[in-house]
Amino acid sequence: MNTRTHDILVIGAGMAGLACATRLAAAGREVALIDKGRGPGGRMAARRAEIGGETVSFDHGAQYFTARDPVFVEAVADWEAAGAAARWPEAGEDAFVGTPGMNGPIKAMAGKVSVSWSVRATSLLRGGDAWRVEAGEEAFAARTLLVAIPAEQAVDLLTEPAAHLAGLASEVVSEPCWAVMAGFAERLDITADTFRREDGPIAWAARNSAKPGRTGAENWVIHASTARSRELLEAEKEEVAERLLADFFVTSGAASARPLHLAAHRWLYAMPASLGGEAARYDAQARIGIAGDWLHSPRVEGAFLSGLALAKSVLVHG
């Protein structure tokens, strides 16, 4: 088995992992990332589809993000300048979206560091002065190991090698969310590009095609409520798509229309109940750390700031 060796290895190339890695790289540290996904995105992913001979993308995870912390505001301004993000007033005065898809900022950061996609870490082992990460037919060795994945997944990886960090992650409970992507031939009779509901089966829906930089005639992303997502948790995707589409028309009051494209995606760990304590944790003696929105706050900004906090700890403690 081929083993790749790095100074620092980050498991998870979402917002937290990339914020951490790019900060470390900017400080001159050698860092690499691995991620089980096929490409940049995580919960900021964009799903492509062919509709009427045109390739369009759906933001089926995070719909937008806000920027309030000065450090994150500065990062977002850089993404705007690079064409990776844009304001989206329909979701709020301080709302932004990635461009041309929500994964725009993730792609921008991933381009600055070494990321290996479609690599799923399965086990961790501490030996001597290095960590060994098994990932299918591949293996990695690193002096410092940083884990930036959903809490429930972190528990699975960390229980044996770092029980104290796994214990922290085990305190987090994440709520699921079913997302539906629907493309139509004609505009639906819904005036607003977004709507939210505090109760009922649909929590959020957005005219994805109205976001900055998007293509397609009339594309919608529909997010089920937590209760509805739990109810349909183990249902087949095709069934979920049909049922939530029906819920969408009832909730919005729009006349029913048959979509040209209809698909569903289950986000099992969509909304973590953040611990709200330390932004990140780093064990300097064992040279292992964790970051994620579940530590800081359950927002894109929270994931970014958690990643930066972990990078700072590594740089301070060596």
Side-chain angles (χ1 to χ4, degrees):
M1 180 183 293
N2 180 44
T3 300
R4 301 188 220 174
T5 302
H6 302 283
D7 177 24
I8 302 171
L9 180 69
V10 180
I11 299 176
M15 180 58 72
L18 283 166
C20 179
T22 52
R23 176 66 184 88
L24 291 169
R29 300 296 296 270
E30 191 275 321
V31 58
L33 303 92
I34 60 173
D35 193 282
K36 65 183 180 61
R38 291 177 293 177
R43 283 175 290 184
M44 293 178 70
R47 176 75 63 83
R48 290 186 178 182
E50 290 288 331
I51 303 177
E54 182 181 18
T55 301
V56 302
S57 69
F58 291 87
D59 300 330
H60 62 306
Q63 294 295 291
Y64 65 92
F65 57 89
T66 56
R68 296 160 188 165
D69 184 278
V71 175
F72 190 56
V73 168
E74 183 178 352
V76 173
D78 290 341
W79 296 335
E80 275 193 281
R87 292 183 179 274
W88 191 37
E90 286 77 4
E93 292 183 1
D94 61 347
F96 294 83
V97 295
T99 51
M102 274 300 291
N103 59 0
I106 300 293
K107 285 185 175 181
M109 290 190 290
K112 298 179 180 179
V113 288
S114 173
V115 185
S116 295
W117 303 106
S118 299
V119 177
R120 181 190 292 270
T122 55
S123 66
L124 314 179
L125 177 66
R126 178 74 175 177
D129 192 38
W131 285 94
R132 180 177 175 81
V133 178
E134 301 285 347
E137 297 182 356
E138 299 182 79
F140 300 82
R143 184 165 173 261
T144 300
L145 181 64
L146 307 176
V147 179
I149 56 180
E152 288 85 351
Q153 296 174 4
V155 171
D156 293 339
L157 275 182
L158 296 171
T159 294
E160 290 296 328
H164 58 308
L165 298 181
L168 187 66
S170 69
E171 298 177 21
V172 176
V173 176
S174 299
E175 297 290 359
C177 179
W178 272 107
V180 169
M181 296 152 275
F184 301 89
E186 297 180 354
R187 184 181 176 90
L188 300 182
D189 56 341
I190 301 175
T191 302
D193 290 334
T194 70
F195 67 84
R196 297 178 176 87
R197 292 292 185 271
E198 296 299 327
D199 53 17
I202 302 300
W204 162 270
R207 184 176 272 118
N208 194 86
S209 47
K211 291 181 178 180
R214 273 52 172 186
T215 58
E218 180 74 349
N219 302 326
W220 282 82
V221 172
I222 304 158
H223 281 181
S225 67
T226 297
R228 188 64 158 155
S229 294
R230 285 193 196 130
E231 179 186 342
L232 299 173
L233 192 64
E234 300 301 332
E236 295 295 327
K237 292 181 179 181
E238 293 77 12
E239 176 191 354
V240 171
E242 293 289 352
R243 293 179 69 175
L244 292 181
L245 181 65
D247 289 340
F248 166 68
F249 285 122
V250 171
T251 303
S252 67
S256 296
R258 193 63 207 163
L260 299 175
H261 172 83
L262 184 65
H265 178 87
R266 186 185 70 174
W267 295 101
L268 194 56
Y269 307 121
M271 294 167 281
S274 174
L275 296 179
E278 294 181 59
R281 289 287 184 92
Y282 181 61
D283 183 335
Q285 182 175 359
R287 305 190 68 81
I288 186 170
I290 52 176
D293 58 353
W294 54 273
L295 281 161
H296 187 284
S297 56
R299 297 182 292 126
V300 171
E301 181 176 77
F304 180 89
L305 295 175
S306 178
L308 285 192
L310 182 54
K312 180 178 180 181
S313 293
V314 172
L315 293 173
V316 168
H317 296 290

